[in-house]
């Protein structure tokens, strides 16, 4: 099937016409954005295109949603770059960019009825930005109805947002598959974000502490898991201590039996390793102002205990200058065999 023409549509009527005119035989995918597209968004669009194939229909929404901005946040400052966004979307494989005005999405003004994110929406990002996730879910719910996709793609960089959207789709029977796409990073490790453009060179150097802290936690976790795996490979004898000593773990070798019996990994140690990096960044110029560091269960975003097993998210949020940034990485705490 030859590639259909790319179009910008500003209204629901236009979107409906394009969909019916093309008589799309395949599945429909949506990628929701607030514009200011970068390679992270392009990755989402490319993933959507690959998922639905050449017969599918990929819709990218560009809408700066006022409901998810709190008092004093950067709604007016948020970058609007529609012309550049269209080029990125088309090159990445979108069929349509749906870029409605506010009165198209909210024809009666701000909606009186909104979707609540519940307790999960009050934690971490929700605690720092009250009402934020209610605004996110309300617009996502509306855009899912307006675009009528089979599958929707969201970035894992906004891990809590992804979690509450998944919960909404499941709890309210939206009948839409929600797919998370891994975070895209710049060469220096900084997670791609539309807000990165606000950072001065000095602020950007400080901002790198977010990803460094996450990587430090990840590396501590990997080292712990490697040590425990090594300990389980040899008998509980002198050979085990020698094996541990050979990989530079002399203290662990002194009590190899205890190491072998320990829980796999340690959430407390992961948090501590990440915290060391963030504590150092507080003394930089300009300083990093930490909002939170958390190691949570992605199902409800509650903090995990040291006996936790399964998927987890190590998340951080901080301000550098006037710019607030978030980042996270997934970790797996597996049961010892």
């Amino acid at each position: 099937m030859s590639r259909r023409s790319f179009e910008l549509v500003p209204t629901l009527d236009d979107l409906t016409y394009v969909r019916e005119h093309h008589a799309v035989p395949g599945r429909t995918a949506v990628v929701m954005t607030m514009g200011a597209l970068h390679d992270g968004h392009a990755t989402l669009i490319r993933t959507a295109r690959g998922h639905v194939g050449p017969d599918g229909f990929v819709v990218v929404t560009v809408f700066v949603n006022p409901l998810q901005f709190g008092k004093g946040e950067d709604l007016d400052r948020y970058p609007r770059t529609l012309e550049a966004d269209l080029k990125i979307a088309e090159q990445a494989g979108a069929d349509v960019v749906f870029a409605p005005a506010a009165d198209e999405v909210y024809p009666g003004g701000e909606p009186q009825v909104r979707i609540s994110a519940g307790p999960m929406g009050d934690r971490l990002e929700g605690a720092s930005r009250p009402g934020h996730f209610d605004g996110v879910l309300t617009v996502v719910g509306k855009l899912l109805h307006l675009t009528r996709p089979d599958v929707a793609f969201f970035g894992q960089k906004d891990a809590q947002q992804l979690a509450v959207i998944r919960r909404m789709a499941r709890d309210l029977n939206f009948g839409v598959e929600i797919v998370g796409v891994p975070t895209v990073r710049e060469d220096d490790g900084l997670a791609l974000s539309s807000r990165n453009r606000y950072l001065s060179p000095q602020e950007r150097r400080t901002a790198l502490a977010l990803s460094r802290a996450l990587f430090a936690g990840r590396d501590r976790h990997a080292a712990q898991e490697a040590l425990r795996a090594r300990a389980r490979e040899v008998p509980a004898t002198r050979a085990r201590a020698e094996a541990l000593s050979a990989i530079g773990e002399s203290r662990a070798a002194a009590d190899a039996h205890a190491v072998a019996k320990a829980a796999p990994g340690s959430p407390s140690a992961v948090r501590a390793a990440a915290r060391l990096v963030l504590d150092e960044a507080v003394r930089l110029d300009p300083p990093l102002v930490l909002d939170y560091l958390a190691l949570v269960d992605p199902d409800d975003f509650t903090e995990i205990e040291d006996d936790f097993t399964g998927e987890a998210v190590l998340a951080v949020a901080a301000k550098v200058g006037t710019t607030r940034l978030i980042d996270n990485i997934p970790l797996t705490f597996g049961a010892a065999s």
Side-chain angles (χ1 to χ4, degrees):
M1 178 178 176
S2 61
R3 174 74 185 276
R4 59 181 64 90
S5 60
F6 171 81
E7 298 188 48
L8 166 66
V9 296
T11 70
L12 176 59
D13 288 343
D14 294 331
L15 181 62
T16 301
Y17 172 80
V18 168
R19 187 198 305 273
E20 293 176 350
H21 177 72
H22 286 307
V24 179
R27 304 179 81 206
T28 294
V30 67
V31 174
M32 297 183 190
T33 83
M34 293 204 301
L37 302 190
H38 49 63
D39 195 51
H41 298 107
T43 297
L44 289 170
I45 300 166
R46 288 191 292 266
T47 303
R49 170 54 65 198
H51 189 88
V52 301
D55 289 340
F57 191 65
V58 177
V59 181
V60 174
T61 67
V62 174
F63 179 64
V64 181
N65 176 36
L67 298 190
Q68 66 193 69
F69 287 82
K71 184 178 180 180
E73 293 188 340
D74 56 355
L75 173 59
D76 293 334
R77 184 186 176 204
Y78 198 86
R80 275 81 166 172
T81 58
L82 183 58
E83 185 174 347
D85 295 343
L86 296 175
K87 294 178 181 177
I88 292 173
E90 181 177 15
Q91 291 171 359
D95 294 299
V96 165
V97 166
F98 177 45
D103 58 4
E104 181 75 17
V105 179
Y106 305 121
E110 288 197 7
Q112 296 299 302
V113 176
R114 307 187 186 193
I115 299 175
S116 170
M120 192 181 351
D122 294 331
R123 299 173 186 134
L124 300 186
E125 284 298 290
S128 297
R129 306 174 68 187
H132 169 70
F133 286 117
D134 293 353
V136 168
L137 292 187
T138 299
V139 77
V140 168
K142 291 208 69 166
L143 290 173
L144 287 175
H145 287 309
L146 294 175
T147 59
R148 293 183 288 133
D150 300 292
V151 56
F153 293 82
F154 297 90
Q156 290 179 358
K157 187 183 82 71
D158 297 295
Q160 191 172 1
Q161 172 180 284
L162 174 61
V164 296
I165 290 170
R166 279 178 165 155
R167 191 62 185 246
M168 176 187 72
R170 181 169 68 248
D171 287 356
L172 302 184
N173 301 101
F174 268 70
V176 178
E177 180 185 0
I178 306 298
V179 176
V181 178
T183 300
V184 178
R185 298 184 180 278
E186 302 196 35
D187 291 343
D188 57 10
L190 189 67
L192 284 177
S193 169
S194 300
R195 290 186 169 93
N196 290 353
R197 67 187 67 198
Y198 300 152
L199 299 170
S200 70
Q202 295 85 354
E203 289 171 340
R204 184 185 173 86
R205 284 194 288 271
T206 296
L208 291 175
L210 273 74
S211 56
R212 287 203 307 267
L214 297 178
F215 298 159
R218 178 196 63 193
D219 292 347
R220 178 62 182 268
H221 175 60
Q224 290 174 154
E225 289 295 299
L227 176 60
R228 283 160 175 79
R230 189 68 173 269
R232 291 192 296 270
E233 289 175 358
V234 294
T237 62
R238 181 176 178 179
R240 173 176 287 170
E242 291 174 349
L244 291 170
S245 182
I247 60 172
E249 297 288 350
S250 57
R251 290 183 62 191
D255 192 1
H257 181 71
V259 170
K261 295 296 185 182
S266 167
S268 294
V270 170
R271 291 186 186 95
R275 175 73 65 170
L276 281 174
V277 176
L278 296 171
D279 288 346
E280 292 175 359
V282 170
R283 297 187 288 273
L284 297 176
D285 182 21
L288 181 126
V289 181
L290 182 65
D291 185 348
Y292 62 76
L293 171 71
L295 184 55
V296 298
D297 183 336
D299 284 341
D300 58 10
F301 268 69
T302 56
E303 290 278 356
I304 65 173
E305 303 294 336
D306 275 358
D307 60 354
F308 179 86
T309 60
E311 300 296 319
V313 172
L314 181 61
V316 63
K319 287 188 75 172
V320 181
T322 60
T323 303
R324 188 174 184 277
L325 300 171
I326 63 172
D327 199 354
N328 71 85
I329 57 171
L331 296 173
T332 300
F333 292 84
S337 57

